[in-house]
């Protein structure tokens, strides 16, 4: 699977552009604030249905314009399909599959893509909600029913919190407690199972980037309940236990909306003790593990976006990382400076210049060195 064509119009600062790609490596080269991240964001949005950095559609539209669009052609197993997103100010986003408007849920084919962006370090050092968001997004991508559970849970949670604030009768509240226990159990089970799938890859990638002999662990921490054993029974017990406190604080204190994931290096929490470099390596390893899980579960190549990363890896780590992803899918990277020496096997690539939002293949250098 790879992106063979892309067309963008008024997406952030990117000038209207139409490009073709090979299944290998694409290097976006340009100074700061020229549009490199915007370009990758557009690919991420049209492929996965969400922006990696923005919740607000209007931010995606070029200042002074009314609408933006991103269209890609994806080649997969000898066939292709087109996917497009149109963002219009004041309206809902429109998704098109081979030119026909569809709802996101009815995508015929998935575009398998993962992206690493500098802000992903927030998954490691930010609040528990960022870690939950990462897991729920990665999980819903390969198992869409998970998103439906999360939405149902969020709706019930909001209702229950309203009732707690209004000091409603216990029997009214318990209807929502039951719904939280039911959907919550599914959410937690899914997350734990996904964690079990992800962790071996995460450990391998982290060791590859961060050091061979490190003791690395991941722990799933239940929000106010015990996440081991019979989850349903544990949640029921925890709700009973916290009833009085929930009534006095007027908020739901138990459940997967308060879970956390701890990453431990030599028994110490990364979030608190890790260096910037260690956290960055872990965030990157998470994304690479997400890629490995997709490959395994969906038996497909995965497109990889790596923003602002390449120049920060020393040649040894670059070699190790790129050895891992060689031949496993198309890769887009961004660089601000000269293109560093490419790792073995990656000597052929397409360079796109990015300047003031203009993407040029002029003086295109489809390089072959080595
Ligand atoms: P860096 O190397 O610093 O990461 P970059 O090339 O990745 O730079 P981008 O993050 O892509 O830069 O941003 C390029 C420019 O796009 C920024 O100067 C930003 O102000 C501008 N920009 C962001 N949103 C919009 C928008 N909706 N309309 C027009 N310009 C925008
Ligand atoms: Mg950038």
């Amino acid at each position: 699977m790879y992106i063979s064509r892309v067309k963008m119009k008024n997406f952030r600062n990117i000038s209207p552009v139409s490009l073709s790609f090979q299944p290998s490596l694409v290097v976006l080269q340009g100074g700061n604030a020229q549009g490199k991240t915007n370009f990758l964001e557009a690919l991420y949005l049209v492929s996965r249905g969400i922006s990696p950095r923005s919740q607000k559609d209007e931010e995606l539209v070029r200042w002074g314009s009314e609408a933006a669009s991103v269209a890609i052609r994806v080649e997969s197993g000898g066939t292709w399909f087109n996917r497009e997103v149109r963002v219009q100010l004041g309206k809902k986003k429109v998704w098109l599959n081979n030119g026909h408007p569809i709802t996101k849920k009815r995508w015929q084919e998935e575009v398998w893509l993962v992206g690493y962006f500098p802000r992903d370090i927030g998954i490691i050092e930010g609040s528990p909600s960022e870690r939950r968001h990462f897991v729920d997004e990665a999980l819903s991508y390969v198992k869409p029913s998970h998103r439906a559970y999360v939405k149902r849970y969020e709706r019930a949670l909001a209702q229950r919190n309203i009732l707690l604030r209004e000091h409603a009768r216990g029997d009214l509240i318990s209807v929502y407690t039951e719904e939280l226990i039911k959907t919550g159990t599914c959410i937690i089970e899914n997350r734990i199972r996904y964690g079990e799938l992800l962790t071996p890859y995460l450990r391998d990638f982290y060791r590859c980037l961060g050091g061979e002999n490190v003791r690395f662990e991941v722990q799933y921490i239940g929000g106010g309940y015990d996440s081991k054993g019979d989850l349903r029974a544990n949640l029921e017990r925890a709700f009973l236990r916290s009833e009085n406190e929930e009534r006095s604080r007027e908020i739901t204190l138990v459940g997967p909306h308060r879970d956390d994931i701890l990453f431990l290096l030599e028994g110490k929490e990364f979030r608190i003790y890790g260096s910037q470099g260690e956290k960055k390596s872990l965030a990157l390893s998470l994304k690479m593990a997400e890629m490995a899980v997709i490959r395994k579960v969906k038996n497909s190549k995965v497109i990889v976006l790596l923003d602002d990363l390449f120049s920060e890896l020393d040649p040894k780590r670059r070699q190790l990382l790129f050895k891992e992803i060689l031949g496993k899918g198309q890769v887009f990277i961004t660089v601000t400076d000269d293109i560093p020496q490419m790792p073995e096997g990656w000597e052929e690539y397409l360079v796109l210049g990015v300047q003031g939002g203009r993407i040029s293949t002029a003086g295109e250098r489809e390089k072959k060195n080595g």
Side-chain angles (χ1 to χ4, degrees), residues 178-190:
E178 181 49 37
E179 172 75 352
L180 291 188
I181 291 171
K182 210 164 98 193
T183 48
T185 304
C186 299
I187 291 171
I188 301 158
E189 275 171 359
N190 278 346

Side-chain angles (χ1 to χ4, degrees), residues 24 28 110 122 181 193 201 238 251 306 316 321 326 328-329 339 345 356:
S24 50
L28 291 138
E110 287 286 356
I181 291 171
R193 231 176 283 137
Y201 295 114
I251 193 152
L306 298 171
K316 183 174 151 239
L321 173 69
L326 181 66
K328 290 172 183 161
I339 296 162

Side-chain angles (χ1 to χ4, degrees), residues 23-88:
S24 50
L25 173 64
V26 180
V27 182
L28 291 138
Q29 184 183 34
N32 293 129
Q34 302 303 312
K36 304 181 299 297
T37 300
N38 293 347
F39 190 86
L40 295 192
E41 180 188 17
L43 296 185
Y44 193 98
L45 172 73
V46 73
S47 302
R48 293 192 54 151
I50 51 163
S51 158
R53 64 169 164 179
S54 175
Q55 305 269 347
K56 296 188 189 127
D57 287 351
E58 63 264 27
E59 288 174 15
L60 306 175
V61 178
R62 193 189 185 104
W63 300 323
S65 300
E66 290 293 312
S69 64
V70 183
I72 53 174
R73 171 165 294 187
V74 180
E75 310 271 337
S76 174
T79 60
W80 54 263
F81 60 94
N82 293 325
R83 166 84 65 84
E84 182 175 349
V85 58
R86 293 183 188 159
V87 189
Q88 270 182 283

